[in-house]
């Protein structure tokens, strides 16, 4: 059993069928994770590997919901069990295999069940004033590139946790690695949600999204176990789009840097 702080939640992970070098790499990863205040009680996980692709819909990357074969979640005991294809042991992300990364993701989503926080496929940047910017978009949209231009303080570009609280919303990075990894799990007020856009001119242009447009984009970025969780997510996101500005940030890689125009946009939104 491996114990780790995955960001807003503690996970107790038992991985059946894991090879020795993969287990060592996960232990090494866990030893370098920062400790932080938790948003939920621990989740106890049992992950098994199989040579059979038991679900034809299984995806290596996630879009609208998690599609783990044979997933069993017991809310009362906070126990999660599921099966992953052994083929995911061959891929790697930083020092962990893809099967381990998917296990961390499933554990975080399990921890958020019935709570006031959600997991997003997104990147997170921390602004100089301490606010945070969530960058969402489909794979290949340019989240990682944009988030590095917004701030030197980047909190990962794969899975971000957002919590609804009395004073608004706050965001924090997680242990799930992507192209970038998070070294600080502290929470920061959510100042904005942006989507990468590609401009032909060098000037940066921020285009506010309507509530319906923002809702559609955020629903696609929210990670859930099953599609029938959509209704709960809709109610939660409705509150978010009413309180947090959502905009498409159109910019050119060789043009104006997007950080200052974003800060000016946020100042106008608050005014």
């Amino acid at each position: 059993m491996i114990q780790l702080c995955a960001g807003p939640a503690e996970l107790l992970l038992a991985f059946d069928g894991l090879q020795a070098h993969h287990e060592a790499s996960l232990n090494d990863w866990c030893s370098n994770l920062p400790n932080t205040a938790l948003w939920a009680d621990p989740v106890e996980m049992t992950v098994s590997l199989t040579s059979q692709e038991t679900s034809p819909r299984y995806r290596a990357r996630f879009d609208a919901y998690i599609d783990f074969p044979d997933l069993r979640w017991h809310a009362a005991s906070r126990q999660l069990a599921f099966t992953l294809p052994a083929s995911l042991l061959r891929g790697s992300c930083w020092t962990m295999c893809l099967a381990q990364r998917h296990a961390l993701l499933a554990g975080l989503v399990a921890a958020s069940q019935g709570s006031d926080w959600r997991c997003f496929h997104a990147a997170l940047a921390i602004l100089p004033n301490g606010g945070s910017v969530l960058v969402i978009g489909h794979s290949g949209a340019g989240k990682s590139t944009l988030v590095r231009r917004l701030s030197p303080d980047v909190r990962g570009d794969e899975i971000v946790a957002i919590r609804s609280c009395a004073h608004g919303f706050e965001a924090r990075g997680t242990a799930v690695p992507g192209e970038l990894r998070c070294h600080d799990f502290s929470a920061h007020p959510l100042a904005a949600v942006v989507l990468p856009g590609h401009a032909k001119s060098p000037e940066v242009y921020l285009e506010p999204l309507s509530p319906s447009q923002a809702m559609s984009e955020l629903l696609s970025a929210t990670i859930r176990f099953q599609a029938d969780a959509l209704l709960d997510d809709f109610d939660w996101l409705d509150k978010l789009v009413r309180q947090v500005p959502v905009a498409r940030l159109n910019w050119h890689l060789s043009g104006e840097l997007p950080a200052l125009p974003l800060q000016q946009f946020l100042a106008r939104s608050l005014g």
Side-chain angles (χ1 to χ4, degrees), residues 50 71 113 142 161 166 175-176 207-208 247:
T50 176
L71 186 144
Q113 298 299 290
V176 183
E207 175 189 1

Side-chain angles (χ1 to χ4, degrees), residues 38-39 115-118 132 161-172 187-191 235-237 239-240 243-244:
L38 303 178
W39 285 353
S115 75
D116 53 5
W117 59 283
R118 299 290 188 274
S132 63
I162 306 291
R163 182 169 70 163
S164 172
C165 45
H167 54 273
F169 288 82
E170 58 185 16
R172 59 202 293 182
H188 291 260
L190 182 62
D235 292 338
W236 188 93
L237 290 169
K239 180 181 176 183
L240 188 149
Q243 297 186 25
V244 179

Side-chain angles (χ1 to χ4, degrees), residues 71-117:
L71 186 144
R72 299 174 300 282
W73 165 242
H74 301 283
S77 60
R78 299 188 66 76
Q79 292 181 323
L80 178 69
F82 57 93
T83 302
L84 287 174
S87 59
L88 290 181
L89 290 176
R90 294 194 291 268
S92 64
C93 186
W94 292 84
T95 63
M96 68 171 63
C97 65
L98 294 180
Q100 292 166 334
R101 188 179 74 166
H102 291 354
L104 298 187
L105 171 54
L108 283 173
V109 177
S112 72
Q113 298 299 290
S115 75
D116 53 5
W117 59 283

